[in-house]
Coordinates of all heavy atoms in Angstrom, one line a residue:
L9 N 8.0 0.8 -9.3 CA 6.7 0.5 -8.7 C 7.0 -0.1 -7.3 O 7.8 -1.0 -7.1 CB 6.0 -0.6 -9.5 CG 4.6 -1.1 -9.0 CD1 3.6 -0.1 -9.3 CD2 4.3 -2.4 -9.6
K13 N 8.7 5.3 -3.2 CA 8.9 6.6 -3.7 C 7.7 7.6 -3.3 O 7.9 8.7 -2.9 CB 9.1 6.7 -5.2 CG 7.9 6.3 -6.0 CD 8.3 6.4 -7.5 CE 7.1 6.0 -8.4 NZ 6.3 4.9 -8.0
T31 N 2.2 11.9 -9.5 CA 1.9 11.9 -11.0 C 1.4 10.6 -11.5 O 0.6 10.6 -12.5 CB 3.1 12.4 -11.8 OG1 4.1 11.4 -11.7 CG2 3.6 13.7 -11.3
G32 N 1.7 9.5 -10.8 CA 1.2 8.2 -11.2 C -0.4 8.2 -11.1 O -1.1 7.5 -11.9
Y35 N -2.0 9.2 -14.4 CA -2.1 8.2 -15.4 C -3.1 7.1 -15.0 O -3.9 6.6 -15.8 CB -0.7 7.5 -15.6 CG 0.3 8.5 -16.2 CD1 1.1 9.3 -15.4 CD2 0.3 8.7 -17.6 CE1 2.0 10.2 -16.0 CE2 1.2 9.6 -18.2 CZ 2.0 10.3 -17.4 OH 2.9 11.3 -17.9
R36 N -3.2 6.8 -13.7 CA -4.2 5.9 -13.2 C -5.6 6.4 -13.4 O -6.5 5.6 -13.8 CB -4.0 5.6 -11.7 CG -2.8 4.7 -11.4 CD -2.5 4.6 -9.9 NE -1.4 3.8 -9.6 CZ -1.5 2.5 -9.3 NH1 -2.7 1.9 -9.1 NH2 -0.4 1.7 -9.1
R73 N -6.5 2.8 -7.1 CA -5.5 2.0 -6.4 C -5.6 0.5 -6.7 O -4.9 -0.3 -6.1 CB -5.6 2.2 -4.9 CG -5.2 3.6 -4.5 CD -3.7 3.9 -4.7 NE -3.5 5.3 -5.0 CZ -2.5 5.8 -5.7 NH1 -1.6 5.0 -6.3 NH2 -2.4 7.1 -5.9
A81 N -3.0 1.7 -16.3 CA -2.2 3.0 -16.3 C -0.9 2.8 -17.0 O -0.4 3.7 -17.7 CB -2.0 3.4 -14.9
S82 N -0.3 1.7 -16.9 CA 1.0 1.4 -17.5 C 0.9 1.4 -19.1 O 1.7 1.9 -19.8 CB 1.6 0.1 -17.0 OG 2.7 -0.2 -17.7
A85 N 0.2 5.1 -20.1 CA 1.4 5.9 -19.9 C 2.4 5.8 -21.0 O 3.3 6.6 -21.1 CB 2.0 5.6 -18.5
R91 N 1.0 11.5 -22.5 CA 2.1 12.2 -21.7 C 2.1 13.7 -22.0 O 2.3 14.5 -21.1 CB 3.4 11.5 -22.1 CG 3.5 10.0 -21.8 CD 4.9 9.5 -21.7 NE 5.4 9.9 -20.4 CZ 5.2 9.2 -19.3 NH1 4.5 8.1 -19.3 NH2 5.7 9.7 -18.1
G112 N 7.1 10.2 -9.6 CA 6.7 9.5 -10.8 C 7.8 8.7 -11.4 O 8.6 8.1 -10.7
R113 N 7.8 8.8 -12.8 CA 8.8 8.0 -13.5 C 9.8 8.8 -14.3 O 10.9 8.4 -14.6 CB 8.1 7.0 -14.4 CG 7.2 6.0 -13.8 CD 7.9 5.0 -12.9 NE 7.1 3.9 -12.6 CZ 6.1 3.9 -11.7 NH1 5.7 5.0 -11.2 NH2 5.4 2.8 -11.5
D114 N 9.3 10.0 -14.7 CA 10.1 10.9 -15.6 C 10.2 12.3 -15.1 O 10.3 13.2 -15.9 CB 9.4 10.9 -17.0 CG 8.0 11.5 -16.9 OD1 7.4 11.6 -15.8 OD2 7.5 12.0 -18.0
R163 N 5.2 -4.7 -15.7 CA 5.1 -3.2 -15.7 C 6.5 -2.6 -15.7 O 6.7 -1.5 -16.3 CB 4.3 -2.8 -14.5 CG 2.8 -3.1 -14.9 CD 1.9 -2.5 -13.9 NE 2.2 -1.2 -13.5 CZ 1.7 -0.7 -12.4 NH1 0.9 -1.4 -11.6 NH2 1.9 0.6 -12.1
D167 N 7.3 0.1 -18.5 CA 7.7 1.4 -18.1 C 9.1 1.8 -18.6 O 9.4 3.0 -18.9 CB 7.6 1.6 -16.6 CG 6.1 1.6 -16.1 OD1 5.2 1.7 -16.9 OD2 5.9 1.4 -14.9
R170 N 9.4 1.7 -23.0 CA 8.6 2.6 -23.9 C 9.5 3.6 -24.5 O 10.5 4.0 -23.9 CB 7.4 3.2 -23.2 CG 7.8 4.1 -22.1 CD 6.6 4.8 -21.5 NE 7.1 5.7 -20.4 CZ 6.6 5.7 -19.2 NH1 5.7 5.0 -18.8 NH2 7.1 6.6 -18.3
Ligands
LIG301 O1 3.4 5.0 -9.6 P1 2.2 4.4 -10.1 O2 2.2 2.9 -10.0 O3 1.0 5.0 -9.5 O4 2.1 4.7 -11.7 C1 1.1 4.2 -12.5 C2 1.7 4.0 -13.9 O5 1.9 5.3 -14.5 C3 3.0 3.3 -14.0 O6 2.9 2.1 -14.9 C4 4.0 4.2 -14.6 C5 3.1 5.4 -15.1 N1 3.7 6.7 -14.8 C6 4.5 7.3 -15.7 O7 4.7 6.7 -16.8 N2 5.0 8.5 -15.5 C7 4.9 9.1 -14.3 N3 5.4 10.3 -14.1 C8 4.1 8.5 -13.3 C9 3.6 7.2 -13.6

Side-chain angles (χ1 to χ4, degrees):
L9 180 80
K13 66 182 183 316
T31 65
Y35 293 93
R36 285 171 178 266
R73 291 296 150 206
S82 175
R91 304 200 74 83
R113 301 293 194 291
D114 63 338
R163 286 188 43 198
D167 291 343
R170 66 175 177 230

